[in-house]
Amino acid sequence: MDKTVNYSELFSQLLDNEGNFNNSMLTFLYYMFPRDLFIRALSLLESNDMMIYILEEAINNDNSVIAEAQRTATLADESNSAKNTITSTNTTEDDKQGAVPPLNATIPIVTDSLGENNPGEIEYMNGLLKDIYNDDDYQLLYRLIVKSDNEPPIYVDLKDWTCSCSEYCELFSHEIFSNEGEKKDVDSAIQDLLVTEIDDIEEFKDDRIGQLDAHSFSKQQYFKIDKIMCSHLLAYSILLRSSMDILKYFVQKKSNVLLFRITNIDEWLKLHINIIV
Ligand SMILES: [Zn+2]
């Protein structure tokens, strides 16, 4: 992969002005990534298996662009609030408001039509998506999880560029063990192997794909995504690090990616127990 490429910019051009897929860009990206990675990532984005769990309690602060919208939504018609809350419909937990949906549940998601009668809810959801999209410094608490019918769920973390899938583990092991013995200090060896640092501010890049520690003003760090990339990391990168239009397309317009709002810390902790078990 070309190090001068701005992947965020390329991914942001996946949709044309009418909101349809740009065939030229699809073809270009297909040939850009090895092992059919791009096609697999795109299939994943359309599979309804990708989920974002977000702890709403953590975003209720004055810095949040959705704070005001959240207050507006709270004031919205109470009778509408039940149907606008994302809850499981096919479990015994139905009666528990805000219950954490099981990973294998078929769950209604946030769509444009869902909030048609509730402008506050639409405004709130737009704000929530904007906050998630702009969360370069990972101030929000959210988990990226890909469910699978027969396999354990896969956990994806853009912050540290990690994934629990076997492809990631194999690529990571290959990078580490094939370079074993070159350096005695394991930590610095891994850092040198897998992370590119840019300390010259004039060489800073706008690319958000694979970027680590985006909060730093003195240097940029990028994971070497050409060495370790799986379809899950690529799919979530396209979703969360390219453009708001892409994020809205898959979450709101197509309802392919499920967004679960967790309303309190107890349910958030239950989610983690659910994942671990
Ligand atoms: Zn993966």
Side-chain angles (χ1 to χ4, degrees):
M1 293 181 203
D2 189 338
K3 290 184 171 60
T4 62
V5 168
N6 183 335
Y7 292 99
S8 292
E9 176 72 24
L10 290 177
F11 296 152
S12 72
Q13 295 173 32
L14 268 172
L15 298 176
D16 61 24
N17 291 337
E18 281 75 47
N20 301 311
F21 274 118
N22 179 340
N23 285 329
S24 303
M25 188 52 68
L26 284 174
T27 307
F28 181 78
L29 290 170
Y30 170 78
Y31 286 110
M32 175 172 256
F33 289 92
R35 309 189 306 280
D36 288 335
L37 268 171
F38 180 69
I39 292 301
R40 288 192 282 139
L42 212 52
S43 302
L44 207 54
L45 281 163
E46 295 179 323
S47 68
N48 290 2
D49 288 338
M50 288 174 62
M51 298 177 286
I52 302 171
Y53 286 85
I54 183 160
L55 178 62
E56 291 194 304
E57 196 177 65
I59 60 176
N60 191 15
N61 60 66
D62 290 340
N63 294 327
S64 168
V65 299
I66 69 164
E68 187 57 39
Q70 187 175 31
R71 282 189 282 275
T72 305
T74 305
L75 294 173
D77 185 0
E78 287 288 336
S79 64
N80 285 332
S81 66
K83 70 178 180 181
N84 289 331
T85 301
I86 303 169
T87 55
S88 172
T89 57
N90 59 351
T91 75
T92 56
E93 300 292 305
D94 281 356
D95 294 334
K96 297 181 182 177
Q97 275 204 340
V100 175
L103 292 176
N104 60 354
T106 302
I107 300 161
I109 56 175
V110 180
T111 65
D112 285 332
S113 59
L114 187 65
E116 268 177 4
N117 298 321
N118 191 340
E121 183 71 8
I122 295 174
E123 187 182 353
Y124 174 73
M125 285 312 305
N126 286 336
L128 181 58
L129 289 178
K130 196 170 179 180
D131 271 6
I132 293 172
Y133 174 73
N134 287 317
D135 188 37
D136 278 332
D137 49 358
Y138 300 96
Q139 292 299 300
L140 305 182
L141 278 177
Y142 61 86
R143 296 294 305 260
L144 310 176
I145 300 171
V146 181
K147 75 178 175 72
S148 172
D149 290 337
N150 303 314
E151 305 283 335
I154 290 167
Y155 319 117
V156 185
D157 187 349
L158 294 180
K159 181 174 183 285
D160 297 316
W161 201 256
T162 56
C163 183
S164 66
C165 74
S166 57
E167 184 177 14
Y168 182 96
C169 294
E170 284 169 18
L171 291 168
F172 193 90
S173 298
H174 174 76
E175 286 300 324
I176 299 303
F177 293 118
S178 64
N179 290 280
E180 202 176 32
E182 286 188 11
K183 293 197 177 183
K184 290 179 181 176
D185 183 339
V186 175
D187 287 342
S188 66
I190 293 174
Q191 172 93 1
D192 292 345
L193 275 174
L194 300 177
V195 178
T196 298
E197 281 194 5
I198 305 172
D199 2 57
D200 185 348
I201 198 166
E202 294 194 354
E203 293 183 10
F204 276 16
K205 302 194 295 185
D206 292 329
D207 197 359
R208 302 172 72 210
I209 308 297
Q211 188 174 19
L212 311 171
D213 191 21
H215 209 46
S216 171
F217 292 111
S218 57
K219 68 177 176 186
Q220 281 190 328
Q221 289 187 315
Y222 283 92
F223 199 96
K224 294 179 181 175
I225 63 174
D226 54 329
K227 291 183 181 289
I228 300 180
M229 172 76 92
C230 64
S231 57
H232 313 100
L233 281 163
L234 182 54
Y236 276 113
S237 292
I238 293 170
L239 185 72
L240 297 169
R241 295 290 179 262
S242 60
S243 77
M244 268 302 290
D245 287 344
I246 298 276
L247 179 58
K248 283 184 166 185
Y249 178 85
F250 286 109
V251 174
Q252 289 184 307
K253 185 177 179 184
K254 292 294 181 183
S255 302
N256 287 138
V257 177
L258 312 182
L259 177 62
F260 296 115
R261 293 147 55 185
I262 309 296
T263 52
N264 65 65
I265 193 70
D266 288 338
E267 297 298 340
W268 182 251
L269 295 174
K270 280 184 199 171
L271 167 68
H272 288 71
I273 294 169
N274 191 14
I275 291 171
I276 294 165
V277 172

